[in-house]
Amino acid sequence: MTVPMTGSIAELYIVSTARGVPEAREAVDLQAGLGIVGDRYHVKSQKKREHGEPVADNHLSLVDKAVLEDFLANQAPESELGFGDFRRSVITEGIDLNALVGQDFLVGTARCHGVELCEPCAFLAATVHRDVLPKLVGRGGLRAIILEDGSAEIGSEVAAL
């Protein structure tokens, strides 16, 4: 079976403050070494860089739309949860995100590098649904760093390099 190494962006979100509400976006700017312009992690990274501190490897988080659809259909059909509630910045379609760990790839025109799987956490379980932890392990998405500035919009390509 061939692993899909090209997909697209289905939805985009930023969260401008810690514990803030995810905000849908049509397009975003991605800044190398910092994150999505306007997102809380971008702001944190800028402050750390200004103080000479190391920047965390959480510039960008991606998750497969099909995984979220499956979870919502089977675990929380009575809820009114949306994709943004899962607190991932980029919702993708058609690409195997797990295969991008340790790989360079494009998100729109930005060059990125897959750092690790973005496993669900206790905060996500508390705010979304308790079954997030057991049901999304290994399927919770990808954490990446941005290597080269670029932009992305809904429909942009996500592709392994």
Side-chain angles (χ1 to χ4, degrees):
M1 182 168 86
T2 307
V3 177
M5 296 310 287
T6 302
S8 64
I9 296 172
E11 295 191 27
L12 293 163
Y13 294 92
I14 66 164
V15 177
S16 55
T17 61
R19 310 271 191 224
V21 175
E23 304 164 32
R25 293 285 190 259
E26 292 292 319
V28 294
D29 291 317
L30 297 98
Q31 192 171 14
L34 296 173
I36 299 173
V37 176
D39 189 75
R40 69 202 180 283
Y41 290 118
H42 183 271
V43 173
K44 284 181 187 180
S45 295
Q46 281 182 312
K47 288 179 182 175
K48 285 181 178 257
R49 186 179 277 176
E50 288 169 7
H51 292 96
E53 299 173 18
V55 174
D57 290 341
N58 59 353
H59 304 166
L60 191 62
S61 60
L62 304 92
V63 69
D64 186 340
K65 181 179 178 182
V67 169
L68 300 183
E69 288 174 334
D70 179 59
F71 179 85
L72 292 171
N74 293 301
Q75 301 302 319
E78 73 287 350
S79 75
E80 294 188 21
L81 291 172
F83 296 143
D85 295 315
F86 288 85
R87 306 185 75 77
R88 303 295 189 257
S89 303
V90 181
I91 312 298
T92 65
E93 292 181 294
I95 188 165
D96 180 0
L97 295 173
N98 288 12
L100 295 177
V101 173
Q103 304 295 316
D104 286 1
F105 61 98
L106 292 176
V107 173
T109 62
R111 185 181 184 107
C112 301
H113 181 80
V115 176
E116 64 187 358
L117 296 182
C118 192
E119 297 292 8
C121 62
F123 174 75
L124 194 61
T127 58
V128 174
H129 192 281
R130 70 180 179 274
D131 283 344
V132 162
L133 285 173
K135 300 294 183 185
L136 293 185
V137 170
R139 300 170 7 125
L142 176 70
R143 186 168 286 120
I145 57 172
I146 302 168
L147 301 173
E148 295 175 8
D149 292 357
S151 61
E153 61 186 36
I154 293 174
S156 291
E157 187 175 68
V158 178
L161 294 173

